[in-house]
Amino acid sequence: MTNRVAIVADRVGWEERRLIETAQDFGLSIDWVNDESLCAGHRDALSVKDYDALMVRSRSYTRGGLIATLAEADGFRVLNTAAAIHSCENKLVLRAVLREAGVPVPDFRLVLSRKDFEKAVDDLGVPVVLKPVYGGMGKRVTLVRDADLAQSVYDYVEDLGHAFEQACLVEPYLGGGSIRCLVVGREIVAAAEFESAGADWRSNAALGNQSRALAHDPDVQKIVDGVVDRLGAGIYGVDLFKTPSGYLVNEVNHAPAWRGVASTTGVDIASVVVRYVQETLE
């Protein structure tokens, strides 16, 4: 009997297409289920009730955790777990749980008001990075180089319509490069170092930054092990900063894009992911 897996997402991107195409080679059937049409809340009404597992890859930074929570409560196997997704969706929650577990993260301040922002800039000194608690792909991440401009930058935050959009983190600027580790289960299956290109200071694979494959590094492995120990085995994109004092975890993505890492390293990540999903169903 062929196991059926639903990719729950708002759209079918490159990664989702690769998973759907690759599944056949491993005796799985993977379909896309639009996360905007579930009408979740009652098990019999859930449009994924005939699937053996759900792979939640919602781009929304609230939708995925809500869906995963309901699905788990109804007895579905969910990848990643609802707890892991909730932690990854919220940068403040992620920083808090990792720091509590002894995993190194950048120094930061939670900013909920202009007074918070002014104190954060005073404490950390410029340059600092202002980033939304909810969000990804480098969007709305702002480098504040000049204290004279800081207040004007925060004007834009205050003009956002909702309180959850205004919640931000302020952290020291740690340079223009980052490391993306693609984790499947508990293993780093591919890693690449991204550098900002051109006038854009942000280092993010989604922005088309330059990259190179990263060889195995025991220090990176130790950090990633700490992340997985806290969040549980799953499929993650773990983003690190390299600093003079060691590696720091910037973010963990619960629905990682991996096209850039795959093209840089040559690893068939879709096959690794599908194999892992198959193993969890055995």
Side-chain angles (χ1 to χ4, degrees):
M1 180 177 175
T2 300
N3 285 316
R4 300 185 66 205
V5 176
I7 292 179
V8 180
D10 53 316
R11 64 182 177 87
V12 178
W14 184 87
E15 288 79 7
E16 288 74 27
R17 287 195 298 272
R18 289 289 298 124
L19 290 170
I20 292 169
E21 294 166 358
T22 304
Q24 302 174 26
D25 298 333
F26 292 83
L28 290 179
S29 174
I30 295 183
D31 303 314
W32 170 53
V33 174
N34 192 331
D35 66 8
E36 297 179 341
S37 62
L38 293 179
C39 195
H42 188 283
R43 184 184 178 92
D44 292 337
L46 204 60
S47 60
V48 293
K49 64 181 180 179
D50 295 326
Y51 288 94
D52 300 293
L54 311 184
M55 189 183 307
V56 178
R57 290 186 55 84
S58 300
R59 270 72 173 184
S60 164
Y61 276 76
T62 54
R63 191 178 299 162
L66 298 176
I67 292 169
T69 297
L70 279 174
E72 279 189 0
D74 284 336
F76 289 95
R77 187 186 299 270
V78 181
L79 303 171
N80 296 320
T81 67
I85 293 173
H86 277 301
S87 293
C88 294
E89 284 177 333
N90 184 313
K91 293 183 180 66
L92 184 278
V93 171
L94 180 70
R95 293 281 177 90
V97 299
L98 291 183
R99 187 169 66 179
E100 181 185 23
V103 178
V105 298
D107 190 11
F108 68 91
R109 302 292 186 274
L110 173 63
V111 170
L112 301 176
S113 68
R114 186 178 290 272
K115 288 184 178 180
D116 279 344
F117 181 65
E118 292 172 347
K119 184 66 165 58
V121 174
D122 286 343
D123 285 352
L124 299 174
V126 292
V128 292
V129 174
L130 175 70
K131 59 175 60 174
V133 166
Y134 299 98
M137 301 178 71
K139 294 182 179 179
R140 288 179 50 215
V141 179
T142 305
L143 174 59
V144 181
R145 298 182 184 271
D146 191 331
D148 291 340
L149 292 177
Q151 297 297 333
S152 296
V153 169
Y154 197 76
D155 288 342
Y156 289 95
V157 176
E158 285 188 326
D159 284 343
L160 295 171
H162 301 284
F164 78 89
E165 292 178 326
Q166 295 176 358
C168 296
L169 299 183
V170 172
E171 63 187 35
Y173 175 54
L174 296 176
S178 66
I179 294 169
R180 161 61 64 95
C181 300
L182 209 296
V183 177
V184 180
R186 298 189 60 89
E187 302 298 323
I188 300 174
V189 300
E193 187 169 7
F194 290 86
E195 296 180 353
S196 55
D200 196 331
W201 63 273
R202 296 169 296 176
S203 60
N204 189 296
L207 301 175
N209 293 159
Q210 298 174 348
S211 63
R212 63 180 181 86
L214 189 71
H216 174 73
D217 185 329
D219 292 333
V220 170
Q221 185 68 60
K222 182 179 179 180
I223 297 294
V224 171
D225 286 345
V227 172
V228 178
D229 285 344
R230 181 60 181 81
L231 298 182
I235 303 161
Y236 303 107
V238 181
D239 293 338
L240 308 176
F241 289 133
K242 186 176 182 179
T243 74
S245 59
Y247 292 102
L248 304 175
V249 177
N250 177 31
E251 295 181 7
V252 180
N253 195 313
H254 70 276
W258 64 72
R259 188 172 187 174
V261 175
S263 64
T264 298
T265 64
V267 176
D268 183 359
I269 296 173
S271 292
V272 179
V273 171
V274 172
R275 187 180 298 112
Y276 171 71
V277 173
Q278 183 185 47
E279 291 171 352
T280 65
L281 294 175
E282 292 178 350

